[in-house]
Amino acid sequence: RLFYVSMEASSAINKLLNNFYLKYNNDMISQTEKMGLTVQDIVTVASIIEKEAKLEEDRAYVASVIYNRLVNGMSLGMDSTILYLYQDHEGEPTAEMLADNSPYNTHLNLGLPPTPICNPGLASITAALNPAESNYYYFYAEPDSDKLIFFTSYEEVSYYATTHPHNAA
């Protein structure tokens, strides 16, 4: 898709929307409705998946963690949503960031953040529409790897984190 310097903003936006809806097909729209969600909800979930899961095989499980937490009234607790506010920050969120009362702080606030936190790829959108069936509520980033380890309870992830120190989410 080509964009020009003198192009009207509305034309550029229409190009982007047309491209999105070429990919977000009728089956996806039907699945969105069947799940009782909006397209924005799906894209927001997909954006979190995009930031949290580096490996294809982890995407549907990250989606299941997100939906399991939402259904059970738990906070999402995703560092990626906080880091959205601090684009230049490297590494894990600081204590000050975790205390930020922003609606993007899914450690403090229930539900999804108000908007997507990135532009998700089709693989993450597909995972958001087709989450794995699981009892997972937590995941842990394997040290020195992109692989995520999934858990059903906080006790499990805490034990794993103490025996394999790195990044728990």
Side-chain angles (χ1 to χ4, degrees), residues 1-5 7 11-13 15-16:
R1 311 261 175 221
L2 295 176
F3 294 89
Y4 303 98
V5 173
M7 180 181 271
S11 295
I13 290 168
K15 276 187 173 223
L16 293 170

Side-chain angles (χ1 to χ4, degrees), residues 28-101:
M28 294 171 141
I29 292 169
S30 294
Q31 179 65 10
T32 301
E33 291 169 355
K34 190 179 351 175
M35 294 172 78
L37 299 171
T38 66
V39 173
Q40 181 172 331
D41 292 337
I42 294 296
V43 174
T44 300
V45 169
S47 72
I48 297 169
I49 295 167
E50 187 77 21
K51 288 293 191 177
E52 297 286 347
K54 304 300 180 225
L55 301 178
E56 180 63 33
E57 66 259 22
D58 289 339
R59 293 180 197 278
Y61 288 102
V62 170
S64 75
V65 167
I66 292 168
Y67 292 125
N68 288 344
R69 287 183 175 191
L70 288 172
V71 165
N72 287 288
M74 298 170 67
S75 67
L76 294 181
M78 301 288 168
D79 290 351
S80 59
T81 63
I82 297 167
L83 293 173
Y84 172 71
L85 298 172
Y86 302 92
Q87 302 278 325
D88 295 331
H89 179 77
E90 304 251 341
E92 296 178 29
T94 64
E96 182 179 305
M97 290 175 189
L98 291 170
D100 188 332
N101 197 26

Side-chain angles (χ1 to χ4, degrees), residues 117-144:
I117 59 170
C118 73
N119 184 16
L122 195 54
S124 293
I125 293 171
T126 300
L129 288 166
N130 301 285
E133 288 189 32
S134 82
N135 293 321
Y136 296 140
Y137 289 88
Y138 302 91
F139 57 88
Y140 183 88
E142 186 63 35
D144 303 318

Side-chain angles (χ1 to χ4, degrees), residues 95-109:
E96 182 179 305
M97 290 175 189
L98 291 170
D100 188 332
N101 197 26
S102 162
Y104 289 92
N105 187 343
T106 59
H107 285 266
L108 296 179
N109 299 297

